[in-house]
Amino acid sequence: MPSPASPPSKMVKNEGIRFVSSSIKIPRPPISSPNPILSTLPFARQSFAIHLDRAREAAQRLLCSISGFRGRGVLCSASLAATRPEHESGVSRRQHGGREDEERVLISEVLIRNKDGETLERADLEAAATGALKSCRPNAALTGREVQEDVHRIIESGFFCSCMPVAVDTRDGIQLVFQVEPNQDFQGLICEGANVLPTKFVEDAFRDGYGKIVNIRRLDEVINSINGWYIERGLFGLVSSIEMLSGGILKLQVSEAEVNNITIRFLDRRTGEPTTGKTRPETILRQLSTKKGQVYSMLQGKRDVETILTMGIMEDVTIIPQPAGDTGKVDLVMNLVERPSGGFSAGGGISSGITNGPLSGLIGSFAYSHRNVFGKNQKLNLSLERGQIDSIFRINYTDPWIEGDNKRTSRTIMIQNSRTPGTLVHGGHQSGHGGVTIARVTAGIEYSRPFRPKWTGTTGIIYQHAGARDDKGDPIIRDVYNSPLTASGNSSDDMLLAKLETVYNGSSDHGSSIFVFNMEQGLPILPEWLYFNRVSARARQGVEIGPAQFLLSLSGGHVVGNFSPHEAFAIGGTNSVRGYEEGAVGSGRSYAVGSGEVSFPLYGPLEGVLFADYGSDLGSGGTVPGDPAGARGKPGSGYGYGLGIRVGSPLGPLRLEYALNDRHARRFHFGVGYRN
């Protein structure tokens, strides 16, 4: 039913809304309620119930008064529960199968009047009440139940706060008068307890009602929309009461459940019983975005659970909200099941930089890690990787969040001793000569922090001592083509690097957007230390095309200054230009590589992929000291294309790809993980 139009003079501007912050008290719900924090009654419907109870009483009184009219020629066909005995009222009853029907009373006229029995001032309200009637019509024989139902319908129209049916005995017959009391016109709003609910949301919810008569049905919709705002955001809040004040002012009481206390409870991973945890409670609490005094949000709580799990020290995390007595607040109990904090591991892998020999690419590894040093979530990792040629020994100590810092800054201290193949730049040696390996000793410290959503910055200082070795491990300064292997001309180069890195990561999904920028600046603290600047960047963007996905990847870099030849950008291989061996396209001071892939599902975890790659040293190969690429006849640019399959595994996607290059060579590539 459309709302009655309101006089233009009644329209009030939005300044009528006033927000008042007050203490919050949520009424205790029934025990059977599924959510003891959020349960409440819809208060507009509660008002309906009150009005209808009053209407039922009024209808009963009406029937008593009607039964007192004797000798009026009223046609009665049944008994009426609230009437006098038959011999007193002169009303007859008819039996139907042993059951007496309700008494019917002939009504000559039906009128709508105000509570004083006078004509309503507003014709639209009279029309609304008349339109709500279904059974009560002039010259109709009515039962008490039918009158009562029509009283209900008038109340349920939402425009009236009371309705009293009155029977008037006239010379023309019994006149049925519905005496109604309209609701007040809405002139303003007081909203208390709404600390997180936006003012504009409430203004918009009540905007159309200013200057119009308050409609209980419409008010119920507004209350539901406000409660829905809290539900959509996972917030523990609702409209707890509403009251009509004098002058048409609505008082809206909102209850928001603030966090009263957060308790950390550790559970035994076998029995589930409470136990003593190794992690310090403050280490957990500082990770939470939910704080005391905030309105509790289930969505925020879910993110907090995910944050704790990403720390890597918990096996299971749950948050249980509980009422904090009668305060209207909520206590949070966080149940934690810790993972074993440390242990040894062993494994194996494949080095993509080694391509000669059937087993030369295999690597074995052994590691010890402690995930929760001092109960502060600090990480200690000691690892050793060993292959036929490569070997890497690392010590890493990471503090994921430095104590006392409010920006989530992490610190990593690293020491590494490695020996890796030099074949990417100085490979392709002549028969009878040994290979080249690069020995490095590296130590440094890095600091990293998020500075914008999805953006992370890293800065650090790294010292590196690096030189070339032959198969026997002896230092060498030139390769088989007489190209220098160091920039200083000595058996090794020393450098102190200032590092800066910025990473954007759209999500953990392989097809999401990624951008990485890295810069290293050599600091010549001592005269013999190298002085150079090296920048590199890579980007990736995926696009869904039906069931398939198109992935575009770009990377590039440039070096200025005096740098070690083996640090030149190498182009070609499994993670560069497929169809070429590792580093076979070229090596230079500059480079650019682009790749396009289309992947599509085949069966279960199996995927198919079509790809095309292109890479170039941008004509910079000859500017590398000794021109190692030119000495080996590398083209400096090239492309490859082909197809492959991928299958998921605990180690990541396993890739098998077949590629052809622009020199008509064919090559299989096998890799673990997605292409960089």
Side-chain angles (χ1 to χ4, degrees):
M1 178 185 301
S3 301
S6 59
S9 60
K10 297 288 186 179
M11 185 61 65
V12 179
K13 295 184 179 179
N14 293 340
E15 285 80 0
I17 291 185
R18 176 163 62 92
F19 277 81
V20 179
S21 178
S22 65
S23 60
I24 296 171
K25 186 172 183 180
I26 297 181
R28 178 174 292 179
I31 296 177
S32 60
S33 171
N35 191 331
I37 305 296
L38 290 177
S39 298
T40 185
L41 291 174
F43 291 94
R45 299 185 187 277
Q46 195 173 10
S47 298
F48 270 141
I50 294 173
H51 294 325
L52 295 180
D53 287 341
R54 293 173 181 172
R56 186 177 298 108
E57 295 173 0
Q60 291 174 351
R61 290 195 296 270
L62 169 70
L63 296 174
C64 290
S65 65
I66 291 178
S67 63
F69 298 144
R70 299 184 180 181
R72 298 298 305 166
V74 177
L75 176 62
C76 299
S77 61
S79 65
L80 186 61
T83 61
R84 299 181 181 181
E86 179 179 342
H87 67 276
E88 294 184 9
S89 61
V91 177
S92 62
R93 306 172 186 209
R94 292 186 293 184
Q95 298 288 333
H96 292 280
R99 177 181 59 85
E100 290 187 339
D101 290 341
E102 285 191 87
E103 178 182 8
R104 290 188 174 273
V105 178
L106 183 63
I107 301 298
S108 62
E109 189 177 11
V110 178
L111 299 176
I112 305 295
R113 295 292 184 262
N114 63 18
K115 63 179 181 178
D116 298 322
E118 300 173 352
T119 303
L120 287 174
E121 296 180 0
R122 294 177 54 173
D124 54 351
L125 290 177
E126 182 176 348
T130 302
L133 300 177
K134 181 178 180 182
S135 301
C136 296
R137 293 287 186 266
N139 302 317
L142 304 176
T143 66
R145 183 185 302 275
E146 290 171 337
V147 174
Q148 182 175 306
E149 289 174 351
D150 272 353
V151 170
H152 289 186
R153 293 186 182 100
I154 291 177
I155 294 296
E156 288 175 350
S157 69
F159 297 110
F160 306 97
C161 61
S162 69
C163 178
M164 181 74 68
V166 177
V168 180
D169 187 15
T170 70
R171 64 180 183 179
D172 296 326
I174 297 179
Q175 187 181 74
L176 180 58
V177 180
F178 290 96
Q179 294 182 353
V180 297
E181 182 180 358
N183 295 323
Q184 299 182 56
D185 288 346
F186 178 44
Q187 302 295 347
L189 175 69
I190 297 175
C191 186
E192 295 185 348
N195 299 311
V196 298
L197 183 67
T199 303
K200 187 177 185 305
F201 183 86
V202 180
E203 289 177 345
D204 292 343
F206 283 93
R207 187 184 307 276
D208 294 339
Y210 280 94
K212 299 178 182 179
I213 192 167
V214 174
N215 186 293
I216 300 299
R217 286 185 174 276
R218 170 58 183 158
L219 191 57
D220 191 43
E221 294 175 0
V222 171
I223 292 173
N224 288 337
S225 69
I226 293 175
N227 291 341
W229 184 90
Y230 284 101
I231 293 173
E232 288 174 2
R233 289 153 182 80
L235 294 169
F236 276 26
L238 47 79
V239 178
S240 57
S241 67
I242 189 165
E243 181 182 357
M244 176 63 75
L245 306 178
S246 60
I249 305 299
L250 275 176
K251 181 181 178 182
L252 198 69
Q253 182 66 47
V254 177
S255 296
E256 297 174 344
E258 295 180 354
V259 176
N260 178 62
N261 192 31
I262 303 175
T263 303
I264 302 298
R265 182 170 62 185
F266 294 95
L267 303 179
D268 187 271
R269 58 197 304 261
R270 293 183 178 87
T271 65
E273 296 297 323
T275 186
T276 301
K278 299 178 181 178
T279 308
R280 297 187 180 186
E282 58 268 23
T283 300
I284 301 297
L285 292 174
R286 70 188 306 209
Q287 298 284 342
L288 304 180
S289 59
T290 301
K291 305 295 182 183
K292 293 182 181 180
Q294 292 181 349
V295 177
Y296 180 60
S297 166
M298 290 183 291
L299 298 181
Q300 193 173 1
K302 181 181 178 181
R303 290 192 294 268
D304 285 338
V305 169
E306 294 172 350
T307 298
I308 299 301
L309 288 174
T310 57
M311 294 170 66
I313 59 176
M314 297 299 165
E315 191 172 281
D316 187 52
V317 180
T318 56
I319 295 179
I320 302 175
Q322 298 176 342
D326 294 328
T327 64
K329 297 184 179 182
V330 59
D331 286 334
L332 301 181
V333 178
M334 176 171 281
N335 291 326
L336 304 174
V337 179
E338 291 181 304
R339 298 175 59 186
S341 57
F344 293 91
S345 62
I350 298 175
S351 172
S352 62
I354 303 177
T355 58
N356 297 320
L359 301 177
S360 59
L362 296 179
I363 298 175
S365 65
F366 180 81
Y368 170 79
S369 63
H370 197 295
R371 304 183 183 92
N372 197 11
V373 180
F374 307 125
K376 295 183 175 181
N377 192 35
Q378 297 175 1
K379 319 290 185 183
L380 174 64
N381 292 282
L382 292 84
S383 64
L384 173 64
E385 296 179 3
R386 181 73 182 181
Q388 184 179 0
I389 298 176
D390 355 21
S391 66
I392 302 176
F393 175 72
R394 295 190 187 96
I395 301 176
N396 277 47
Y397 188 82
T398 300
D399 186 351
W401 190 346
I402 300 174
E403 190 171 354
D405 176 79
N406 62 352
K407 302 293 185 180
R408 291 184 176 265
T409 303
S410 65
R411 176 180 55 222
T412 300
I413 301 173
M414 173 267 298
I415 300 174
Q416 178 175 297
N417 187 344
S418 65
R419 182 181 177 185
T420 56
T423 54
L424 293 179
V425 176
H426 297 279
H429 55 271
Q430 295 172 339
S431 177
H433 293 268
V436 176
T437 59
I438 307 300
R440 294 182 178 89
V441 176
T442 306
I445 183 170
E446 294 181 353
Y447 293 86
S448 178
R449 71 164 53 164
F451 60 90
R452 292 186 63 185
K454 302 181 181 181
W455 286 89
T456 303
T458 301
T459 185
I461 193 81
I462 301 170
Y463 171 77
Q464 180 174 292
H465 175 85
R469 301 289 187 270
D470 60 16
D471 288 344
K472 298 178 181 180
D474 297 326
I476 54 177
I477 59 174
R478 291 188 176 273
D479 65 13
V480 296
Y481 292 95
N482 204 33
S483 298
L485 294 170
T486 61
S488 62
N490 301 322
S491 60
S492 60
D493 291 328
D494 293 283
M495 61 196 81
L496 184 66
L497 303 176
K499 175 183 176 180
L500 177 65
E501 183 179 72
T502 301
V503 177
Y504 171 83
N505 194 345
S507 72
S508 58
D509 183 68
H510 172 58
S512 65
S513 301
I514 287 181
F515 175 76
V516 180
F517 175 81
N518 186 287
M519 182 177 69
E520 296 175 341
Q521 176 64 55
L523 305 176
I525 304 299
L526 297 178
E528 62 271 20
W529 288 8
L530 301 186
Y531 177 55
F532 65 93
N533 180 272
R534 177 188 180 106
V535 296
S536 62
R538 60 186 178 91
R540 185 183 70 195
Q541 177 65 57
V543 178
E544 299 287 343
I545 307 175
Q549 183 183 71
F550 174 71
L551 192 67
L552 177 65
S553 302
L554 300 172
S555 61
H558 182 66
V559 182
V560 177
N562 188 24
F563 73 107
S564 301
H566 56 78
E567 298 286 354
F569 295 109
I571 309 166
T574 302
N575 289 313
S576 181
V577 179
R578 285 161 286 192
Y580 282 89
E581 293 186 9
E582 306 297 326
V585 174
S587 55
R589 284 181 176 266
S590 304
Y591 90 103
V593 171
S595 175
E597 293 183 351
V598 177
S599 59
F600 45 89
L602 293 177
Y603 180 77
L606 192 65
E607 283 188 338
V609 61
L610 302 174
F611 60 84
D613 308 323
Y614 175 81
S616 171
D617 63 9
L618 304 178
S620 64
T623 64
V624 177
D627 187 14
R632 288 158 178 78
K634 297 182 180 180
S637 65
Y639 63 85
Y641 56 92
L643 51 84
I645 57 173
R646 297 173 183 161
V647 63
S649 77
L651 300 176
L654 303 179
R655 296 188 289 149
L656 179 61
E657 298 162 339
Y658 179 73
L660 294 82
N661 65 27
D662 54 327
R663 295 176 175 266
H664 309 293
R666 297 172 174 82
R667 186 172 183 83
F668 280 99
H669 295 272
F670 177 76
V672 179
Y674 291 108
R675 181 186 182 280
N676 294 331

